[in-house]
Amino acid sequence: MNVVEEIPLLKVLLCLFYSLRQYGLPLGVEDYMLVLRALQGGFGIGDRDSLERLCCTLWTKSEQEARLLHQLLGRAITNAPSSAELPQPVEDTPNPSPTSASTRPLSKESEEVMDSSTLPSTATPVGNISEQLEEKAPLKEPEIPVSKPSPLTDIPLEIDEPELVIQAIRHYNRSNEMISEHQDLAAQYLPVTPRQIKQSWRFLSRSVPQGISDKLNVPATVAKICQQCILIEAVLMPNYVNRVKLVLLVDQGGSMIPFHHLSRQLIDKAGRGGNIEQASVYYFYNYPEIYFYSDPTRLKAQLITDILGAIDERAGVLMVSDAGAARSNYNPERIECTQRFIEQLRQSVRYYAWLNPMPNDSWQGTTAGEIARFVPMFEMSPQGFNAAINTLRGRYVRLNTHKESMLSDLLKQPKALAIGKANEQEIKQIEDKIYETEQLLGSISREITDSISQEIMEKGFGSREQESSSSGKASFSEITKNEGLFAGDKEPKRLKEGDDQ
Amino acid sequence: MVDSVMPRLYTGERQPSEQECEVDGLEPYIPSPELVEAVNLTIFLQKRPLLLKGEPGSGKTRLARAVAYELGLPYEPWYIQSTSKAKDGCYTYDAIARLHDAQLARLDGQKLSRVDNLWNYIKLGPLGRAFENSQRTVILIDEIDKADIDFPNDLLQVLDEKRFTIPEIKSQEQEVEKEYEIKAKKPPIIFITSNEEKDLPDAFLRRCLFYYIEFPNEAELVNIVKAHFPEAAPEVMRKAVWRFGELRKQMERDSGKTGKKVSTSELIDWFTILRQYPEEEVLGKLNGELPFAQVLLKYWHDYREYLYSSQEERK
């Protein structure tokens, strides 16, 4: 039986794949299949080095990752019990040699193999395999029965390996994840990589058609001329410019010292990476009181009222501060002052958000938790940062803390049901809760609809201007699309008509 | 230890003749066995492009041309600039030329038919031409990191599905108006090079095979020089490579892993100049102060460190 011929190799491979995933490399089933295909094609067979080269080419994307793979492969090989027998070149083992079979006691597994081999079909019965898999942990001995002694060149790899991989991925436990970031050291330190910061800043844009229609819409003009055979009138369109202005208010010093690198990245990328028209930065210490400082060392003071007065109404204000979460204390004075400042801020700008370098779950019971009740506050993660930027664009759907906590409670409940521990009384409670949730979700979805229709209105006006200036084909389709949306939503339409009159 | 089962389409052994080098501007290319394996893997798997990284001057760009030459396949280079858009690789639509023709159509009836046919104004880019070619084509996307950070993402679909549409051209299919679609006839062999000036997005990296071109060792360097200058005296070659290696080692010591170091391509340039002189004179020069340092040292700092210091030593 040449059943176990290739199994050490597969075991090593699976072990390696599993640990690379633990290190956060974005590998999926497809990537695993690719290695199998390459092995079938004769790549990576021979010795450890060629296997490593193959895996490096297919699975790693940088030198660091390749080094990591080198380490992990070494570990995977030593972990595998039959590591002494490394995958040999196929010709070197012309006979399905009994050596490996003899080292293994012919036990129940091999009987199973015999059973399945009597089956006529070439494919392995899936049920059989999955039964085996349930019995064993995914990393233990992936026994792959082969239905018939296959010819030498035919390495029995393609069989049901993917199932093991899928299992490995499902078993992948986030809690014992060792290192979540696999990029370079600087990126490891930051919760958001510089690239992600840059990318996110890009989304902060408010394209407005500016000035009169004076830019030649070349394709539209040409299309018109070709239609009419003569140039009667050029199609013009207004210039689109990104009018977004950003004000960064950065908490500097004290508990924010560990995050200075992060705020520097934010400021740097806002100034250079994105296409923000104007980005101004002011600093404060702990909370804004009377002065803002225009330098990180907090020497050049300016009155807050002066600065707020000078800010464009449409600018987005992003505050960067841990709001007391870093030292997890509760300071009523800080809350009061912040609240006063936010009131002030609200009078001069429309969009503002708060970015907290501390993760969401550390705010509970601290000043940050309180402040988050009246300011849209987000943690510094790719999602949080994007949400903050969406807020600055005026697309914030406010979930107040009460609703949030209720929702999270509710999300926990069904688990009790699923485990089957809930008694009747609990079920009754849960039903009540579900009713409440429906109500809650209803109100939330209304809020969402409102904010969306507001957005549509803004867009609608934009395209209306374009229409009057007889713009090109692309914007025309946009208008029709918008009108299609209005048909389903009565209130904004009414508003819009009122505005037209 | 490369196994013989492996399909070895590309061997890296066939080099262009001297005549071809002169006429077509080809150059010999000596890849390491590992690189050959990675190239064959790319050819075999068909699905994914090979992303090449490595020091500047390590031969990332030249590889694609060498592969195309050995396999006798058509070659489509696409050199990325900071203003390149993903669409340019597929096709460009020249609206101005159409305008020009439309204006002239009034005077010349023949032009009218030209104006109506949009194909006269569509020019396929490197990817478009490769997809249309009935032969497998070697595509080089050079220095992808030079473009805007969104560029690789825009390329994803084209590279993934090996097809794209031309919205300007509509075709009628069963009463439904459809955009014209170009689909790859044969899966192209794609090489992408990057100098790591900007990070590439994860979604893009996921779809690539990766190979890091290491700096060749001394024996390999001698081979490379030999391939470029078959008739050079072995003694001069060894000596030059040794001197070059010493300089590189010194630079590595001083600037660590990060700084700019002398590269293979600079070695070849340097050797071209050395060859202009008689053998004995070159050997004499190589023993003394670094000759023709302009080719190798690009920073004033380097000049000071490696040129003047050796002079002082002798004094």
Side-chain angles (χ1 to χ4, degrees), chain B residues 142-197:
Chain B
D142 199 25
E143 303 193 32
I144 195 165
D145 53 335
K146 255 204 256 168
D148 187 79
I149 52 168
D150 287 328
F151 177 86
N153 284 332
D154 297 343
L155 265 185
L156 282 183
Q157 199 210 350
V158 182
L159 293 183
D160 237 18
E161 298 177 13
K162 309 271 189 298
R163 63 184 170 147
F164 61 88
T165 56
I166 302 181
E168 278 85 357
I169 296 186
K170 305 273 195 285
S171 63
Q172 292 283 337
E173 247 178 63
Q174 292 157 1
E175 309 274 307
V176 187
E177 200 171 74
K178 264 187 147 180
E179 287 168 0
Y180 187 85
E181 188 183 81
I182 287 186
K183 206 163 185 262
K185 289 181 178 147
K186 285 269 171 64
I189 303 164
I190 307 175
F191 295 100
I192 299 172
T193 71
S194 161
N195 279 327
E196 296 194 78
E197 270 177 30

Side-chain angles (χ1 to χ4, degrees), chain A residues 179-337:
Chain A
I179 297 168
S180 59
E181 287 289 335
H182 58 273
Q183 276 119 356
D184 56 302
L185 278 169
Q188 237 172 57
Y189 176 69
L190 294 174
V192 182
T193 63
R195 188 191 153 82
Q196 280 165 340
I197 293 177
K198 212 164 163 181
Q199 200 103 43
S200 298
W201 279 134
R202 286 238 170 145
F203 286 113
L204 185 61
S205 67
R206 197 175 292 128
S207 296
V208 228
Q210 194 193 32
I212 47 160
S213 298
D214 59 349
K215 202 178 152 208
L216 183 67
N217 186 342
V218 176
T221 311
V222 173
K224 207 170 162 191
I225 295 169
C226 295
Q227 219 173 26
Q228 300 164 339
C229 282
I230 186 170
L231 176 66
I232 300 168
E233 190 191 14
V235 183
L236 298 174
M237 60 181 179
N239 241 330
Y240 272 81
V241 283
N242 188 7
R243 294 308 301 270
V244 79
K245 284 180 187 163
L246 176 76
V247 180
L248 276 166
L249 303 177
V250 182
D251 185 357
Q252 191 85 355
S255 60
M256 281 297 285
I257 286 171
F259 308 113
H260 279 183
H261 180 64
L262 187 64
S263 11
R264 266 201 304 275
Q265 281 286 353
L266 270 176
I267 295 162
D268 175 65
K269 293 289 178 289
R272 295 193 301 126
N275 36 11
I276 296 161
E277 193 192 22
Q278 186 188 36
S280 32
V281 187
Y282 299 104
Y283 300 89
F284 60 92
Y285 178 66
N286 277 345
Y287 47 85
E289 235 176 333
I290 304 163
Y291 297 109
F292 275 135
Y293 304 88
S294 50
D295 58 319
T297 42
R298 296 199 306 277
L299 291 172
K300 294 173 204 146
Q302 275 174 282
L303 274 175
I304 287 187
T305 43
D306 285 358
I307 287 171
L308 288 185
I311 293 178
D312 187 337
E313 190 214 1
R314 296 198 72 108
V317 176
L318 184 67
M319 282 155 283
V320 184
S321 168
D322 68 313
R327 289 180 181 153
S328 62
N329 48 14
Y330 187 85
N331 180 353
E333 193 195 331
R334 189 171 184 166
I335 297 170
E336 205 180 300
C337 280

